[in-house]
Amino acid sequence: MDNTFKYTSQLLAVVLIISHCCSCSSDLEKVIDEQIEFSDEELNTPIRDIVSKNFSTNTLFVGATSKYDAIGTEETDLLAKEFSYTTPANDFKQSYVHPDNNIWKWEKSDAWIKFAREQKQIIRIHGPISPQCSRWARNDERTKEELSTNLREFMTALCQRYNNEDVVEWMDVINESVNRDGTWKKAAAGDDGWEMPWETIGYIQVDESSYPHLEGVIPIYIIQAFEIACEEATNKQLIINQHGGMETGMWDKIKDLVRYLRDNGYRVDGIGWQAHISYGRDVQWETPEVDAESLKQLISWAHDNNLEFHVTECNIHVPTDNPGSEQDHMRTYMSIFNTLLEMRHGGVIGFNLWNIKDVPHYKNEKKWVIAPWDEQLEPKTIYVEMKKALLKAHD
């Protein structure tokens, strides 16, 4: 009996040790991972060169945004050095290109095509039908016929002008069409607010039993935009871009919208999440509204449905009186970035910074926008950690 007890005790101890080791293996891997050292040469390599060298072609895209007024400055010099992919901020939008039915302005968008070609970059055209439109379009006197004409003229010209440009890879077709509560974004009174005037063009009825999250209707402007993009932008990947967090109702509507469009012969190639994270508000990372696990589930759904997944406008908005630390900012950026790297094996992944450097918020003086470089374009911890993550995660 004594020997039996002794051997049983020893066996139990071995089992407990193995179990403990297994449960700690992930933590041990994290410790080992954190101790990886990189040479100065590796850490001085631009992001675009790390991606090109270490990842399969056309599976991972890492880019950043700038604006026309910055072309020829240190900011776009940095953009060209670090990134092979760029999203010109608002220079392809209706609000600039075709703000009413009598005006056309192409100099800014054409300048970006030239810039990308010279810098060997590719572009995502951020010119969707969206709330970011001209005051003319938002004017309460505007008729649905005028809006429909403007939409068709703008989308047709935009697609035709750039469809054969090899530096253009993607086009955002619609943007911010769904509210965070899962309802369609609507028009509002006045001409200076965040609204969707295009929805006044009207709606079409849809089978609610087949697409339960669409409320039985789809705004006609969405159909018009995809109809034109599918006919005229045959060489481009067509993207639905969306704001907010990981709200279930909002994304359920986007998913049903994708299914409806595809079921009716329209091409949808990818979905985008803006990823504007706000400290102290309801789009704060790792809260019930925005968290890594929900992001993984959304990416999995996209890849399972043969859709590319893009984080399209990532930045962090912080209150000036309580901005958090650089380490806080780094952890937020890297949680999103590492989630994308983890999910890249399922399909195409894109990550785009909406700001290269720290800047004041464009309209709220009590906010600051945080980026991987500071105001003087000096690199911060975020930038260094992004490169380390790419070096660790190579294919």
Side-chain angles (χ1 to χ4, degrees):
M1 291 292 293
D2 289 344
N3 286 340
T4 301
F5 177 77
K6 179 177 70 175
Y7 295 145
T8 301
S9 299
Q10 290 173 342
L11 179 59
L12 178 60
V14 170
V15 170
L16 289 172
I17 291 171
I18 292 173
S19 175
H20 177 72
C21 289
C22 290
S23 66
C24 294
S25 62
S26 60
D27 293 333
L28 180 60
E29 288 169 2
K30 288 178 183 177
V31 171
I32 293 171
D33 198 41
E34 290 170 357
Q35 292 176 345
I36 293 175
E37 294 185 3
F38 300 100
S39 67
D40 290 342
E41 180 181 357
E42 288 176 312
L43 293 178
N44 288 327
T45 302
I47 287 174
R48 65 184 295 169
D49 294 336
I50 296 174
V51 173
S52 175
K53 179 181 178 182
N54 293 331
F55 295 88
S56 303
T57 304
N58 297 331
T59 59
L60 175 68
F61 300 90
V62 181
T65 290
S66 189
K67 55 188 177 180
Y68 171 80
D69 293 344
I71 292 178
T73 69
E74 291 183 11
E75 179 175 318
T76 50
D77 289 345
L78 181 62
L79 175 71
K81 175 187 174 185
E82 289 290 341
F83 301 101
S84 59
Y85 153 43
T86 186
T87 303
N90 297 311
D91 297 324
F92 285 81
K93 285 184 175 177
Q94 177 271 351
S95 55
Y96 181 78
V97 172
H98 192 42
D100 65 38
N101 286 349
N102 297 307
I103 296 174
W104 290 99
K105 295 183 290 185
W106 296 104
E107 67 272 18
K108 291 185 178 181
S109 52
D110 284 350
W112 276 111
I113 299 298
K114 181 175 182 288
F115 178 88
R117 185 174 293 111
E118 290 173 347
Q119 305 303 332
K120 296 181 172 55
Q121 291 179 316
I122 56 174
I123 286 175
R124 193 183 91 251
I125 288 180
H126 185 54
I129 303 302
S130 76
Q132 289 80 38
C133 53
S134 64
R135 283 188 173 232
W136 176 90
R138 286 177 282 162
N139 187 291
D140 295 345
E141 301 297 317
R142 200 62 52 226
T143 67
K144 64 180 182 180
E145 289 79 16
E146 288 175 310
L147 286 169
S148 182
T149 296
N150 184 268
L151 183 157
R152 288 191 173 279
E153 289 179 348
F154 167 67
M155 281 298 292
T156 300
L158 184 72
C159 293
Q160 289 178 345
R161 192 177 189 89
Y162 299 118
N163 184 49
N164 292 321
E165 293 288 354
D166 57 358
V167 297
V168 176
E169 182 72 18
W170 306 275
M171 292 185 70
D172 292 342
V173 180
I174 59 171
N175 183 43
E176 300 176 359
S177 296
V178 182
N179 293 314
R180 294 175 62 186
D181 63 3
T183 57
W184 293 114
K185 184 72 179 171
K186 299 232 183 336
D191 64 0
D192 60 352
W194 181 51
E195 59 162 313
M196 186 67 82
W198 313 103
E199 68 90 27
T200 62
I201 295 172
Y203 290 80
I204 62 168
Q205 300 293 315
V206 300
D207 181 2
E208 197 163 359
S209 63
S210 298
Y211 311 99
H213 302 289
L214 296 183
E215 304 174 62
V217 295
I218 289 181
I220 290 173
Y221 78 84
I222 294 177
I223 304 301
Q224 290 178 331
F226 269 96
E227 178 183 291
I228 294 166
C230 289
E231 290 178 359
E232 305 293 350
T234 54
N235 298 327
K236 307 307 168 195
Q237 300 295 97
L238 306 181
I239 308 297
I240 293 175
N241 196 33
Q242 185 59 28
H243 67 300
M246 292 291 113
E247 293 85 358
T248 301
M250 181 181 74
W251 287 110
D252 281 346
K253 189 178 232 81
I254 293 294
K255 292 173 183 179
D256 268 9
L257 176 60
V258 170
R259 289 198 305 111
Y260 176 87
L261 290 169
R262 285 178 161 182
D263 288 348
N264 286 273
Y266 301 107
R267 178 166 55 87
V268 184
D269 299 305
I271 58 172
W273 174 51
Q274 293 178 0
H276 295 302
I277 306 301
S278 294
Y279 283 14
R281 289 188 60 217
D282 52 1
V283 195
Q284 183 157 322
W285 187 246
E286 292 302 349
T287 65
E289 290 81 14
V290 199
D291 66 283
E293 188 55 41
S294 296
L295 178 56
K296 289 179 185 179
Q297 292 173 11
L298 181 60
I299 297 171
S300 291
W301 176 86
H303 287 164
D304 289 346
N305 286 275
N306 196 30
L307 291 162
E308 297 184 5
F309 186 86
H310 294 258
V311 162
T312 55
E313 307 178 21
C314 192
N315 60 15
I316 304 174
H317 297 186
V318 300
T320 54
D321 60 351
N322 186 23
S325 69
E326 184 173 339
Q327 287 297 308
D328 293 332
H329 306 155
M330 181 271 291
R331 281 191 288 268
T332 298
Y333 265 107
M334 293 312 301
S335 183
I336 296 170
F337 193 59
N338 283 326
T339 297
L340 296 186
L341 292 179
E342 179 183 340
M343 302 300 290
R344 75 190 187 280
H345 299 293
V348 172
I349 287 288
F351 177 83
N352 185 73
L353 297 163
W354 196 241
N355 298 86
I356 293 177
K357 65 179 183 178
D358 294 350
V359 294
H361 192 274
Y362 74 101
K363 68 176 182 179
N364 188 337
E365 63 182 17
K366 295 183 179 181
K367 284 186 180 181
W368 196 257
V369 181
I370 302 299
W373 285 264
D374 69 15
E375 286 182 277
Q376 287 73 44
L377 292 173
E378 291 297 321
K380 300 194 298 186
T381 309
I382 301 162
Y383 166 67
V384 176
E385 292 302 316
M386 284 177 65
K387 291 207 286 189
K388 288 181 179 179
L390 288 167
L391 289 164
K392 293 173 187 175
H394 63 84
D395 289 342

